[in-house]
Amino acid sequence: MAFYPLQIAGLVLGFFGLVGTIGTTLLPQWRVSAFVGSNIIIFERIWEGLWMNCIQQAMVTLQCKFYNSILALPPVLEAARALMCVAVALSLIALIIGICGMKQIQCTGSSERVKAYLLGTSGVLFILTGIFVLIPVSWTANIIIRDFYDPNIHAGQKRELGGALFLGWATAAVLFIGGGLLCGYCCCNRKERWRRYPVPAYRVSQQENQRKVTVPRKTSTSYV
């Protein structure tokens, strides 16, 4: 197969995208406590994630607790959970389909066309995964920034952007690049196959024209 480095680079980036998606989903640092005010001595640091919240006391003790009720969660948190779970499932399916489309894997046969379509499908799924990751991360960041500059919210309830959000943005970028490489591999493979195997009807028409030209010459010489 031509353009083999595109295939390898796309699958490697897709694997890192899968790991980043799982890490973004599980990490509790989506919302962290904001140090607002003149008091610089902070004894507690609060982390809030999709599944748990953690309190770090005196930079030593860390206590985490899962949310008790799913129905009591805010709608934004429930939607972010659902989108990130879908993103994890999509990235896993995309990676499996991409591995099945590799040249060395014979479970789908040896047809280059089928393998190219599998890699293209994997690229599209990786791009969809990046969109599903980008939506809850950007949505949560927008809410945090809006509440931070809201004067009606108490300083103790304000939060800052956590490390999981930055990981989510980086993961979305990696998924977009990996999916784009796999889709580009599929398109390049199709173009190369068209150049290698042109349309047979064109050849047939040329042969027929040559026969029509040569036939009168034979008939004219026969009379002589």
Side-chain angles (χ1 to χ4, degrees):
M1 275 188 177
F3 307 101
Y4 190 67
L6 291 179
Q7 174 186 353
I8 298 299
L11 290 178
V12 170
L13 291 177
F15 174 75
F16 285 121
L18 171 61
V19 175
T21 304
I22 296 175
T24 305
T25 306
L26 298 180
L27 285 177
Q29 291 94 344
W30 280 62
R31 297 158 53 95
V32 298
S33 56
F35 301 146
V36 181
S38 59
N39 188 10
I40 62 174
I41 301 176
I42 304 298
F43 293 98
E44 290 185 352
R45 187 174 179 86
I46 301 174
W47 298 343
E48 296 177 1
L50 298 180
W51 310 97
M52 67 180 74
N53 54 4
C54 300
I55 299 177
Q56 187 178 16
Q57 297 179 350
M59 303 297 293
V60 177
T61 306
L62 180 64
Q63 297 178 353
C64 296
K65 180 182 179 182
F66 288 94
Y67 297 123
N68 295 325
S69 176
I70 299 178
L71 300 177
L73 296 176
V76 177
L77 185 58
E78 292 180 355
R81 274 187 175 188
L83 290 174
M84 292 304 298
C85 290
V86 172
V88 172
L90 278 179
S91 60
L92 182 59
I93 294 173
L95 185 62
I96 294 175
I97 293 176
I99 292 175
C100 292
M102 293 183 65
K103 183 179 180 180
Q104 291 80 5
I105 305 300
Q106 301 297 330
C107 62
T108 56
S110 58
S111 176
E112 293 186 4
R113 182 178 181 181
V114 174
K115 290 182 178 296
Y117 281 131
L118 286 176
L119 290 172
T121 304
S122 176
V124 172
L125 291 178
F126 277 132
I127 293 175
L128 287 177
T129 303
I131 295 174
F132 277 106
V133 172
L134 190 62
I135 291 175
V137 169
S138 301
W139 191 6
T140 304
N142 183 34
I143 295 175
I144 294 173
I145 296 173
R146 182 195 62 190
D147 293 342
F148 186 85
Y149 292 105
D150 190 354
N152 297 323
I153 297 178
H154 190 266
Q157 298 178 349
K158 294 182 178 181
R159 298 291 182 263
E160 289 184 354
L161 304 177
L165 299 181
F166 296 99
L167 178 61
W169 283 319
T171 299
V174 170
L175 288 170
F176 287 147
I177 297 173
L181 289 178
L182 292 177
C183 292
Y185 170 83
C186 180
C187 295
C188 293
N189 186 272
R190 290 180 60 184
K191 290 181 180 179
E192 183 184 4
R193 188 169 62 250
W194 288 344
R195 293 174 182 175
R196 189 184 305 173
Y197 305 106
V199 181
Y202 178 73
R203 293 181 177 178
V204 173
S205 62
Q206 273 189 342
Q207 292 177 358
E208 290 180 353
N209 292 331
Q210 291 177 359
R211 289 177 182 176
K212 290 179 180 179
V213 173
T214 55
V215 167
R217 293 179 181 177
K218 292 182 178 178
T219 56
S220 60
T221 55
S222 61
Y223 288 105
V224 177

